[in-house]
Amino acid sequence: IERIETLSRFLLNADTINLNRNKINFIESNAFSNFLRLKYLFISDNQIRNISFIQNLVSIITLDMENNRIDVICRNDLHRLVNLENFDLKNNKIYFIEENSFRNLVKLKNLDLTFNKIKTVDQLLRIDMIVTLILNFNYIHSINPIINSNNTYMGLKKLEIRYNNIESIHFDSLRNFTSLEELNLENNNLNDLDGRIFIDLYNLTILDSEYNNLFFIRNRTFLHLRNLNTLNLAHNKIYLIESEAFRGLIKLKNLYLNNNFIKNIHSIIFRHLSNLDLIDLKSNHIESIEKNTFFGLSQLKQLNLIDNQIQKLDMGSFENLNLIQNLKLDNNFLFKSKEGFEDLRSVRNLT
């Protein structure tokens, strides 16, 4: 099938139509005008560019248009889709979205725009009831504050902007996103994390900023993230973490700092992280572990220090790690030293 100008009247009562994997490049704008019961339309893997035909899908709940040739989203195309909940636009060529295109999509929960050519994210963050917004593999270079908005965005729980070109996030850009639980900024060009970004993100449980260009982490950057469970700062260029950088992370369980340039670990840097289960410090430039560095981490079970330059462990380096099970020290310069291992009674795997 290459063109659809009309559809059989025998389909008028259908609630699901699947047109995936054809060669459709044109659908007449009135082709679905009488399909008032259609709730699920799958039309991925075609060659569609013009989407004016979807304006008549007034009952549609799920619309899958992945892998087509769509390049522009116009307000009139979407304004009648008041029942739409799931909208998949992955792998198109979208570079322009007209202002307020999503305003009437009051039930939209999941929007996936991965692999497009989108440069700005601002109006997408204004979709009131959206729960999951995926913007991976686009051309986004910054996240700016929402202008003239005092709304609290109660819906958004998951925001992914991986593999973009983000260099900066304005400190007001995520203000009022109080329900956000997952924020993934992997593989961008961030060189700083301003703690003010996270002021309203007190329900965030996962923050992933690996594969960026972060050089240092300031004191109290994550102070407001009291429900954070996982923090991933791996594969950056971090050489300095200030002593109070992790203050406030009272529920943190997983901390990934591997593949950075960390040389020294301040003796109180982990002091406030009493619920930590895992610390990954693999592939850094750490030369020594001071006494009490891991003091207070009574729940810690996994500690990875592989591929560092550790030559010295102070006596009591691992003191109070009562539940530690996996301690990895391969590829360091300890030369069979026994010092520092006195308190490791619970270890199952020591390498």
Side-chain angles (χ1 to χ4, degrees):
I1 302 174
E2 294 187 5
R3 296 174 60 89
I4 297 177
E5 297 184 0
T6 59
L7 288 163
S8 171
R9 61 186 178 84
F10 296 109
L11 295 174
L12 286 177
N13 291 321
D15 72 345
T16 303
I17 294 178
N18 190 330
L19 294 168
N20 290 345
R21 297 181 182 88
N22 281 284
K23 297 180 180 179
I24 303 169
N25 57 48
F26 174 79
I27 299 179
E28 175 63 45
S29 60
N30 293 320
F32 289 95
S33 59
N34 294 315
F35 285 72
L36 301 180
R37 298 185 181 182
L38 186 61
K39 295 181 179 180
Y40 308 96
L41 177 59
F42 301 92
I43 197 163
S44 64
D45 297 289
N46 282 284
Q47 300 171 21
I48 298 167
R49 183 176 180 182
N50 186 315
I51 62 170
S52 60
F53 67 91
I54 70 173
Q55 62 186 284
N56 294 308
L57 300 174
V58 294
S59 299
I60 204 74
I61 294 174
T62 295
L63 181 54
D64 184 350
M65 303 186 75
E66 176 184 356
N67 199 23
N68 277 281
R69 297 181 178 177
I70 304 163
D71 56 1
V72 171
I73 302 291
C74 295
R75 183 169 58 243
N76 288 339
D77 296 335
L78 306 182
H79 78 286
R80 298 180 66 199
L81 307 187
V82 294
N83 290 297
L84 186 63
E85 296 181 11
N86 309 297
F87 199 4
D88 193 341
L89 287 163
K90 284 195 301 288
N91 202 23
N92 277 280
K93 301 179 184 297
I94 300 168
Y95 69 91
F96 176 76
I97 300 176
E98 187 179 2
E99 186 71 18
N100 296 320
S101 288
F102 295 93
R103 173 173 285 183
N104 289 354
L105 276 60
V106 294
K107 294 185 179 180
L108 186 63
K109 294 180 180 179
N110 304 299
L111 175 60
D112 195 336
L113 286 157
T114 297
F115 281 112
N116 279 283
K117 298 180 179 181
I118 297 167
K119 293 183 178 180
T120 61
V121 66
D122 309 357
Q123 71 160 307
L124 297 171
L125 291 176
R126 295 202 300 268
I127 304 173
D128 285 345
M129 299 309 295
I130 197 162
V131 174
T132 301
L133 177 58
I134 311 295
L135 294 163
N136 303 329
F137 295 94
N138 277 282
Y139 299 151
I140 301 164
H141 56 82
S142 64
I143 304 178
N144 299 311
I146 298 174
I147 299 172
N148 298 327
S149 175
N150 294 314
N151 291 346
T152 297
Y153 296 91
M154 296 298 294
L156 189 63
K157 293 181 182 294
K158 183 176 182 178
L159 175 60
E160 286 192 12
I161 318 181
R162 301 163 53 239
Y163 290 89
N164 278 271
N165 299 312
I166 300 173
E167 296 181 353
S168 64
I169 302 176
H170 190 278
F171 65 84
D172 261 345
S173 58
L174 296 177
R175 188 62 59 90
N176 297 326
F177 286 85
T178 56
S179 295
L180 194 63
E181 296 177 0
E182 297 183 33
L183 176 58
N184 196 324
L185 299 165
E186 175 194 343
N187 264 288
N188 279 282
N189 293 313
L190 287 169
N191 55 37
D192 186 28
L193 287 177
D194 188 329
R196 293 175 294 178
I197 296 168
F198 308 118
I199 286 177
D200 286 343
L201 305 189
Y202 42 77
N203 283 308
L204 200 69
T205 60
I206 299 174
L207 174 58
D208 192 336
S209 292
E210 69 174 324
Y211 287 102
N212 275 277
N213 291 315
L214 300 174
F215 290 94
F216 52 85
I217 307 297
R218 295 190 183 92
N219 280 337
R220 305 190 176 203
T221 294
F222 310 107
L223 182 64
H224 302 279
L225 302 182
R226 54 179 177 266
N227 284 301
L228 199 68
N229 177 282
T230 299
L231 175 59
N232 192 346
L233 298 169
H235 294 278
N236 277 278
K237 299 175 182 178
I238 300 170
Y239 67 89
L240 174 64
I241 302 176
E242 295 187 349
S243 60
E244 296 282 319
F246 299 128
R247 190 176 187 88
L249 298 177
I250 56 176
K251 293 187 178 180
L252 193 68
K253 289 187 175 294
N254 306 297
L255 177 58
Y256 298 93
L257 293 165
N258 50 287
N259 297 89
N260 279 289
F261 297 97
I262 301 167
K263 186 175 181 179
N264 299 306
I265 303 175
H266 199 284
S267 61
I268 67 168
I269 199 169
F270 302 123
R271 190 63 55 89
H272 310 289
L273 308 181
S274 57
N275 284 302
L276 266 183
D277 182 274
L278 177 151
I279 301 176
D280 193 342
L281 284 160
K282 179 180 65 178
S283 298
N284 277 281
H285 297 163
I286 301 168
E287 295 180 350
S288 64
I289 303 293
E290 298 179 9
K291 182 178 181 179
N292 294 327
T293 296
F294 303 107
F295 181 82
L297 303 185
S298 57
Q299 302 300 312
L300 193 68
K301 297 181 179 67
Q302 302 179 68
L303 177 57
N304 191 343
L305 291 160
I306 289 173
D307 284 321
N308 276 280
Q309 299 170 19
I310 301 172
Q311 303 176 40
K312 174 176 168 287
L313 294 173
D314 285 355
M315 184 175 292
S317 292
F318 303 115
E319 189 175 359
N320 293 319
L321 296 184
N322 300 323
L323 298 180
I324 193 75
Q325 296 177 6
N326 298 297
L327 175 58
K328 299 180 179 181
L329 285 157
D330 306 64
N331 295 333
N332 280 283
F333 303 103
L334 290 170
F335 300 110
K336 299 183 180 180
S337 170
K338 294 183 179 181
E339 192 170 9
F341 296 98
E342 302 86 0
D343 303 294
L344 297 176
R345 298 182 181 88
S346 61
V347 172
R348 294 180 183 176
N349 299 304
L350 175 60
T351 58

